[in-house]
Amino acid sequence: MLEINDIEAATQYSEKSIAVARESNNSQLIVNALMTQTHLLIGQQLFAEVEPVAMECVEIAKQVHDQLPYNECLMGLGEVSLFKGDTATAGDYANNAMAGLKAIDNQDSLLKSYELLARVYQAQQRYPEAIEQLITYYEGTQKLLFNQREEQLFALKAQYEGQLQDEKIALLTAENELKAATLDKKELQESLWLLALAILAIGLVLLIRRYFLTEKNIDSLRSTNKSLYKASNNDQLTGLHNRRYIEHFIHHELTAFPNAYYCMLMIDCDNFKKVNDTYGHDIGDVVLTEIAKRLSASIRKGDVLVRWGGEEFIILLQIDAAESISLEEVLSRYNQAISTEAISTPAANLALTVSIGASQPITAKRQVEEWDSILKLADTALYQAKQAGRNCAVIAEK
């Protein structure tokens, strides 16, 4: 009932299940029923009612062999603590549940614990850790989806091959029966042969039709997988590539240009937290989307722009030795792209700036080999730009 969103019926069945389980005095049945009730109440956001149910579930679950209800109900208590604003307790519950789910190797519930911990870190404004948990959650989810797609594909192929074999056997059986029959009249023999040919023709038509339908389904699955890949490599808010994309690009595609020179820019929106605190996260999203548009309009062919996370962006800047413009002038252009014109939002026109930290131009080969070190250099230069008063760019010394 919960799966088909019939909350009223689900509630009735859950309450009956708890009553029956208590009458049986079976601890395993009781914790299973309490776990289901916990999920149901969380789905309705009835957090005040969740806490006593989840607490009872945790206490009884300590006595049973199956530890899934124990860890599921721990996450339920984490949801309650997060709703109350007690993020420290919520984090403890989420981490304990995660450790328990890893021990019993329950991937579906483990992914839920990553997502819960990400929301806890986000509420604590620990954005890098929140992003790390979300990446683990989304990568695990994508892996499950790909595995399910692959299983569907294999099942579809097996079904097609089985049906093809059955129809071949049926056709051969019909043909053998026709050949084995003793006919007294030539006209009857000819009629039967014509019938056999008709059956064969119909069977072939059906096989061909089934083959094309199967190919169509396989193409649809492939298209869905491509869409999933695109979704996992693009930022949903700004439409830019994301962190996962640039890391893949650095380690798998940049190696094709070992002698080209690149410079890595780390760009951060100045005083962005103040925008969120003053106008709300919806306005913050409008600001990030506009900054992404302006940066996109400023990059050249060969440059790579991604949203690194939060209010941070990265540009992998291709250096052309034939260009007369200096790196400092390029960086200034990006500062001006944001600061020259106020950003229009439904709340107000906001005059915003960005700070930029840049690495020294190096070959693509070194960019691949020293990626982590270059990130740290650019991040340090970004910090120096912030210390220098913001709305400026600093190039790392090394």
Side-chain angles (χ1 to χ4, degrees), residues 378-393:
D379 188 55
T380 300
L382 174 61
Y383 176 79
Q384 293 171 349
K386 294 283 189 181
Q387 292 297 310
R390 300 183 175 88
N391 192 25
C392 63

Side-chain angles (χ1 to χ4, degrees), residues 230 233-242 289 292 296 305 307:
K230 182 178 180 181
N233 284 273
N234 281 63
D235 177 57
Q236 196 171 25
L237 174 65
T238 63
L240 299 178
H241 290 308
N242 60 15
T289 301
S296 295
L305 168 64
R307 183 184 178 194

Side-chain angles (χ1 to χ4, degrees), residues 93-330:
Y93 282 131
N95 277 305
N96 289 336
M98 183 184 296
L101 292 167
K102 286 180 179 177
I104 64 176
D105 195 25
N106 188 301
Q107 292 300 311
D108 287 341
S109 296
L110 181 58
L111 290 174
K112 296 177 185 176
S113 70
Y114 287 128
E115 190 273 340
L116 172 58
L117 192 55
R119 287 190 282 118
V120 172
Y121 286 149
Q122 185 177 6
Q124 295 173 343
Q125 297 186 355
R126 295 163 62 183
Y127 297 117
E129 294 158 287
I131 291 171
E132 182 180 353
Q133 296 300 321
L134 281 176
I135 289 173
T136 303
Y137 168 72
Y138 284 126
E139 286 180 347
T141 302
Q142 295 300 320
K143 183 177 179 181
L144 286 177
L145 285 174
F146 280 122
N147 288 341
Q148 291 170 1
R149 294 295 185 186
E150 187 175 15
E151 289 173 1
Q152 291 175 358
L153 182 61
F154 284 136
L156 192 61
K157 286 184 176 179
Q159 180 184 3
Y160 166 72
E161 291 171 357
Q163 291 174 341
L164 179 63
Q165 188 65 26
D166 290 342
E167 292 183 12
K168 283 183 177 179
I169 292 172
L171 289 172
L172 289 173
T173 301
E175 186 178 0
N176 288 335
E177 289 175 353
L178 287 171
K179 288 180 178 179
T182 303
L183 302 176
D184 295 331
K185 294 183 180 180
K186 184 177 180 180
E187 291 82 1
L188 182 58
Q189 289 178 340
E190 292 176 351
S191 299
L192 289 173
W193 277 111
L194 289 173
L195 178 61
L197 290 173
I199 293 173
L200 181 61
I202 293 171
L204 289 173
V205 169
L206 290 174
L207 286 176
I208 293 171
R209 181 175 180 272
R210 193 179 301 277
Y211 171 80
F212 282 110
L213 286 174
T214 302
E215 286 296 313
K216 182 178 180 181
N217 288 333
I218 292 173
D219 288 342
S220 177
L221 287 173
R222 287 172 178 162
S223 175
T224 301
N225 285 339
K226 288 180 181 178
S227 298
L228 288 172
Y229 174 81
K230 182 178 180 181
S232 68
N233 284 273
N234 281 63
D235 177 57
Q236 196 171 25
L237 174 65
T238 63
L240 299 178
H241 290 308
N242 60 15
R243 180 176 188 157
R244 179 175 180 175
Y245 172 85
I246 194 170
E247 289 181 341
H248 180 275
F249 180 84
I250 289 290
H251 295 294
H252 296 89
E253 298 185 34
L254 197 63
T255 52
F257 312 99
N259 297 320
Y261 277 77
Y262 288 90
C263 175
M264 206 272 281
L265 315 183
M266 185 170 285
I267 302 172
D268 184 87
C269 180
D270 296 327
N271 300 312
F272 183 72
K273 183 178 183 299
K274 184 177 180 181
V275 174
N276 279 337
D277 292 344
T278 304
Y279 302 103
H281 290 279
D282 289 343
I283 298 301
D285 288 347
V286 173
V287 168
L288 290 176
T289 301
E290 179 60 24
I291 289 176
K293 288 180 181 178
R294 295 186 184 185
L295 292 176
S296 295
S298 301
I299 63 172
R300 307 154 307 168
K301 184 179 181 182
D303 297 339
V304 179
L305 168 64
V306 302
R307 183 184 178 194
W308 185 245
E311 66 271 24
E312 288 187 337
F313 300 83
I314 279 182
I315 296 177
L316 187 63
L317 189 69
Q318 188 176 47
I319 304 299
D320 187 349
E323 285 186 339
S324 59
I325 186 171
S326 67
L327 179 57
E328 288 80 1
E329 290 174 309
V330 173

